[in-house]
Amino acid sequence: DELLETDAPHGKPRKNILAEEFQQRKEETENAAARMGLNFPEDADDRVADLMDSKNLDVDFLIFTLEGKNDMVLEEENIGKGGRAKVEEILSANQDKVMTGCFLVCGVDDREVTISIRRKYIQFIWVGSGVSVMTKGRVNSQSGEMKNMFPGAHMNLQLMGDIDGIEEQSLEKELLAAGGAHKPTKFDFTNECLQDL
């Protein structure tokens, strides 16, 4: 038996009122989520594809900057050659910004007889030390979208105003730990080894 209590002020069955309230809350939640969603540039997927393309030697890093609450922009100086060192330089100069991006590191396995090179992509989210508490909180809910922009990444970093996480020694340790049984003999953070192929 279905119990249908009526709500005196509206004269509607209580079950219908609850269903309407649920639908209204669901729509409000979906609208809030849409407002929180990030807007990447139209060519963002193409730019990420350029980074991940093993034949493209002109791009080994890419950084999007958060403007406003949810607009991700890509400035021309934030894509190109320079790898880890260029990323560190850009992040250090932007303590008041939220940025996300990815850079290439080459794992070099030099066994004298053969040399193999494996491309490793390191995705990061940068929250500078000068970023407001409100923005930091919003980034927590947006971080999934930021990571999803780089589906081929081998490692994800969350950098909270501290650049130490992308120093070579720190990355090398993390990459070796994540490498499993087949570890490279060294890492090339400049990616110059790709020029010799």
Side-chain angles (χ1 to χ4, degrees), residues 11-144:
K12 294 182 181 177
R14 181 150 179 77
K15 183 177 177 183
N16 290 349
I17 291 172
L18 292 176
E20 288 173 12
E21 286 176 7
F22 173 78
Q23 186 62 35
Q24 182 179 357
R25 285 192 185 131
K26 181 179 172 193
E27 288 171 8
E28 288 170 2
T29 302
E30 288 171 354
N31 290 339
R35 285 191 304 273
M36 294 286 287
L38 294 173
N39 301 316
F40 283 89
E42 286 184 23
D43 66 343
D45 290 332
D46 294 336
R47 297 300 188 103
V48 171
D50 288 343
L51 172 66
M52 304 286 179
D53 182 354
S54 63
K55 293 179 177 87
N56 187 346
L57 302 179
D58 297 325
V59 178
D60 65 2
F61 81 95
L62 167 69
I63 303 173
F64 294 101
T65 304
L66 180 65
E67 286 189 359
K69 291 184 177 180
N70 56 1
D71 290 327
M72 300 302 296
V73 298
L74 178 60
E75 297 167 6
E76 278 308 311
E77 63 270 13
N78 289 351
I79 183 171
K81 290 275 309 156
R84 187 212 63 81
K86 187 66 175 174
V87 169
E88 181 177 356
E89 175 187 318
I90 292 169
L91 298 183
S92 295
N94 287 284
Q95 287 291 338
D96 62 335
K97 301 232 184 320
V98 171
M99 304 174 113
T100 188
C102 193
F103 61 94
L104 172 66
V105 173
C106 291
V108 181
D109 194 11
D110 187 350
R111 303 292 174 184
E112 294 179 23
V113 179
T114 62
I115 297 175
S116 67
I117 298 173
R118 290 186 175 80
R119 299 165 72 93
K120 303 290 183 186
Y121 294 95
I122 300 174
Q123 184 274 334
F124 61 88
I125 298 171
W126 168 255
V127 181
S129 59
V131 171
S132 73
V133 173
M134 292 271 295
T135 301
K136 287 177 183 177
R138 196 168 41 254
V139 169
N140 284 335
S141 65
Q142 295 169 328
S143 63

Side-chain angles (χ1 to χ4, degrees), residues 145-161:
E145 274 186 272
M146 292 181 186
K147 289 177 186 175
N148 290 341
M149 196 67 216
F150 304 97
H154 298 89
M155 181 187 303
N156 303 96
L157 302 174
Q158 182 91 18
L159 305 167
M160 303 297 287

